[in-house]
Amino acid sequence: MRKLLPLLLCCLLLTGCVRDPIAPMVSDAAGDVPAPAVAGLPAVSNTATLWFRYGEEAFLAPERRELLSSPQESYALRLLQALLEGPGAATAELGGLFPQGTQALSVTQSGRVMFVTLSRHIMNGYADEPANWRDNPEWATEVPLRRKLAMQSIAATLTENCEVDTVVILVEQGREATDSLRLRQGYYTLDGDTTLADPLKREEALLLTPMRTAEIILECWQTRDFTRLYRYVARTDPATAQPRPEEAAFVATMNELPHLLWAVAEGGSVSADGQASVFTVGGACLDAGVERTFDGMVLHLIREKGLWRVGLSELTGREALP
């Protein structure tokens, strides 16, 4: 018996040192259960600024809109979906910028950079573009401009509403092999250039901010392009409550005024309610054949349905420039 005791103790020690089996033991005990996904949360409303093309101008104008999105939905993706759907009916002067069928497939943010994946429809032409557009001087300018404005509308919308500085555009690919999903420079030039396009930055020169609008108004006044200037005249003059006249009557009135030779606007302070902006203008005009300089002329702009415009009396209500 004494000889058996050491043997029994050794067996017990060996048994106690056996490791747990690799396969886990089945247990009936309740484990950690993942929290169920919260469904049915109310939609969140956000006021967003979307940028669309202003008529046939080479500029983008803002549209303020209330966007509804679910808490599980990416706000940036919802912004792009609204942008691709086009402007609302309230502002007839605004137009969409994307070929039919274009969709925003995904967005991913890394630091201050937003990566946007668009469907391959972005590479299509527009429905009204002629096949021989290169042979027409107007279309040869218009076709690349549309693509530039389309990309800038994405950049302006995302940088205004999200915490990002630049946007990288990716394009959905088919079965063909590619070294990168990045948008190519050929999208803009339409010449087959496969160089990767630069990340998009906000270009203020393409946006109808108060200052840019004031500059265009003065430029049209100086070049006597009163037909174009008419697009920037408010439909109702806030100073007189008078409606804007017909275009022909407006042009005739402007032709009777002294010829504005040059002008420079400064300032551009915006009112507390965001509906008015004020500039100080200096320049020179040709009055009865005599050149006369002036400074200190105050130019008021108003926001009408989101667009910056000038009241009629700001242009025609002056008996003479200062």
Side-chain angles (χ1 to χ4, degrees), residues 233 237-242 299 310-319:
V233 176
D237 190 336
T240 64
Q242 295 299 311
L299 180 68
V310 61
L312 180 66
S313 59
E314 291 288 304
L315 304 174
T316 63
R318 306 174 187 271
E319 293 183 359

Side-chain angles (χ1 to χ4, degrees), residues 297-311:
M297 185 184 86
V298 177
L299 180 68
H300 296 265
L301 300 186
I302 63 166
R303 193 192 293 270
E304 188 179 67
K305 293 186 176 180
L307 304 176
W308 289 104
R309 288 177 168 165
V310 61

Side-chain angles (χ1 to χ4, degrees), residues 216-282:
I216 294 172
I217 289 170
L218 294 175
E219 176 188 338
C220 293
W221 196 351
Q222 176 185 336
T223 60
R224 305 183 72 78
D225 189 351
F226 300 135
T227 297
R228 184 186 177 200
L229 178 57
Y230 186 74
R231 304 171 189 168
Y232 293 89
V233 176
R235 294 184 179 277
T236 301
D237 190 336
T240 64
Q242 295 299 311
R244 181 177 65 176
E246 295 295 326
E247 181 179 327
F250 170 76
V251 172
T253 300
M254 292 300 296
N255 278 321
E256 296 297 322
L257 298 179
H259 186 175
L260 182 66
L261 297 177
W262 62 270
V264 176
E266 296 179 345
S269 58
V270 179
S271 62
D273 62 1
Q275 299 304 302
S277 185
V278 182
F279 297 85
T280 302
V281 180

